[in-house]
Amino acid sequence: MAEQFKEVTIKDNFYQSSSFFPMPLTLIGTLNEDKTITSFGSYSLIFPYYIAGKEYYAMLLECRNSSNTAKGLLRHGRCTINFLPYSKKDFKGHVDMGFPGDTPEEKLKNFKFHPVNSLSQQQDPTKIYPKIVKEAAQVFECTWMKELDHAEKDKVQEEYNGPYHDFNGITSKYGAHFILRIDHILVKDKYYNAIVNGANRKNFCPLPTNWGYRDSAFFWCSPYRKPDKVGIPDREVDISSVKYAIDRLNDNPRNVTFTEGAMKMLAKIPRPFLKIVLTGCIKWANENEVQVIDEPEMKLINEARKKAPKKA
């Protein structure tokens, strides 16, 4: 007999108090008030936000509005998100960096990792940017999009009594949300090759899963284990939905067409993303004066997409 479900009361911090929710384990770096120190804090409530169809890509960070991280973003608008490989020793260092109340100077004294200059700092030495962690496997360099939700007037205060924003800036008496534009994604060589040339069980990025603060006593984290893979179902290709989507494209003034071979290459794209991909194909065809997109053109489009620089 299958085990039955039981309803749990939904409480504050429901992701850990009322459920089990897998999260990333990161150190987020922000500048202190006079920009002389990069303060690092431990965070797991950091998730993808804008993933397609916008002028930029973005993450969403949730944090206490009294934290060093919130203050750094309100003052200077930049941060680094550092994903570190798991070890039991390093996890203790993560927990130490999450203790509330320590000043950036106090945090730096106990910091077990090695801050180094970011790519933004190398590209623009006239300004000061938050540092990144040398031991990280992957880093996102980000800028806070303060104009969203009219949060540009939010300033560091001792106490926040409203009015509050809905989704960006100071969102409650104790909380803050920050929509962070991704300026750069940096990945160590081995994991870069996994992204560009194909992932396997040997080169997959070894990132842990954080389960948060539980039992009013412990922080919990699962070490990395090599992932399993399952291939895309090998079903007979049906291009009717692709034809349907192409016929209803509004932005195709040159009437660029697709061959059956090209449509078969597009058939496995999930329907919610098909229009976006087709629009990108039409844009490429217009830029390259191509009237008919066949399989060779689709391969060129895929290569161009992989090589395209990230939008700032």
Side-chain angles (χ1 to χ4, degrees):
M1 182 176 177
E3 191 173 352
Q4 299 298 307
F5 286 104
K6 295 185 71 174
E7 184 178 10
V8 179
T9 301
I10 303 175
K11 303 177 182 178
D12 287 354
N13 298 321
F14 65 88
Y15 61 94
Q16 57 189 17
S17 63
S18 305
S19 66
F20 297 91
F21 192 79
M23 300 178 291
L25 186 67
T26 73
L27 289 172
I28 295 185
T30 52
L31 294 170
N32 68 340
E33 188 168 3
D34 62 5
K35 298 185 179 182
T36 58
I37 292 173
T38 297
S39 175
F40 290 94
S42 298
Y43 286 93
S44 289
L45 295 177
I46 177 79
F47 309 102
Y49 191 72
Y50 289 155
I51 62 169
K54 290 284 187 179
E55 294 180 354
Y56 56 90
Y57 305 101
M59 301 289 286
L60 175 65
L61 168 67
E62 303 175 46
C63 63
R64 290 177 295 105
N65 57 32
S66 60
S67 66
N68 294 318
T69 301
K71 292 176 181 177
L73 283 166
L74 289 170
R75 287 177 176 134
H76 309 302
R78 296 185 184 277
C79 72
T80 61
I81 306 171
N82 302 268
F83 298 80
L84 272 73
Y86 179 82
S87 76
K88 192 171 184 178
K89 179 182 177 182
D90 287 347
F91 182 48
K92 186 179 185 305
H94 275 92
V95 172
D96 288 343
M97 289 299 102
F99 192 82
D102 290 346
T103 66
E105 292 75 16
E106 290 169 337
K107 281 180 173 290
L108 189 62
K109 290 179 183 178
N110 299 319
F111 196 57
K112 306 299 183 184
F113 305 101
H114 298 86
V116 296
N117 284 341
S118 65
L119 179 59
S120 295
Q121 188 68 68
Q122 296 172 32
Q123 293 179 341
D124 184 10
T126 63
K127 297 179 182 178
I128 300 176
Y129 294 84
K131 292 183 180 295
I132 65 175
V133 176
K134 182 179 180 181
E135 291 85 354
Q138 172 180 272
V139 179
F140 293 1
E141 296 185 48
C142 299
T143 298
W144 176 39
M145 303 307 290
K146 58 185 178 181
E147 296 80 9
L148 295 176
D149 205 11
H150 306 291
E152 62 269 14
K153 293 183 180 180
D154 285 2
K155 306 296 181 185
V156 175
Q157 300 179 37
E158 288 296 321
E159 190 171 309
Y160 298 94
N161 295 311
Y164 305 116
H165 299 292
D166 291 322
F167 60 88
N168 191 37
I170 304 301
T171 50
S172 71
K173 186 175 180 63
Y174 304 109
H177 289 63
F178 295 97
I179 297 175
L180 306 171
R181 183 189 71 203
I182 301 175
D183 300 319
H184 302 290
I185 293 180
L186 311 177
V187 183
K188 289 286 179 66
D189 282 347
K190 180 177 181 179
Y191 314 122
Y192 174 89
N193 290 331
I195 292 172
V196 174
N197 300 317
N200 56 54
R201 296 188 84 228
K202 293 182 179 180
N203 65 11
F204 216 90
C205 193
L207 298 178
T209 302
N210 187 34
W211 300 99
Y213 175 61
R214 313 186 72 91
D215 313 321
S216 299
F218 299 102
F219 287 88
W220 292 77
C221 190
S222 297
Y224 168 79
R225 292 185 178 181
K226 291 183 178 180
D228 296 320
K229 62 181 180 180
V230 176
I232 298 173
D234 187 16
R235 300 176 182 174
E236 184 178 350
V237 175
D238 180 7
I239 63 174
S240 59
S241 61
V242 179
K243 288 181 179 179
Y244 182 88
I246 292 171
D247 290 342
R248 281 151 184 79
L249 282 176
N250 294 322
D251 190 16
N252 189 9
R254 293 177 58 246
N255 195 29
V256 173
T257 60
F258 294 75
T259 67
E260 186 172 314
M263 286 189 280
K264 286 182 178 179
M265 295 177 70
L266 293 162
K268 292 185 179 181
I269 294 173
R271 291 187 182 183
F273 305 118
L274 185 55
K275 183 179 179 180
I276 296 172
V277 173
L278 288 172
T279 302
C281 292
I282 298 296
K283 183 175 182 289
W284 180 91
N286 290 333
E287 291 172 350
N288 292 274
E289 298 184 351
V290 171
Q291 188 61 44
V292 179
I293 298 178
D294 198 356
E295 292 179 58
E297 285 74 25
M298 284 302 306
K299 291 178 181 178
L300 291 173
I301 290 170
N302 289 333
E303 290 173 4
R305 180 182 57 79
K306 291 180 180 179
K307 295 177 182 178
K310 301 300 181 186
K311 296 178 182 178

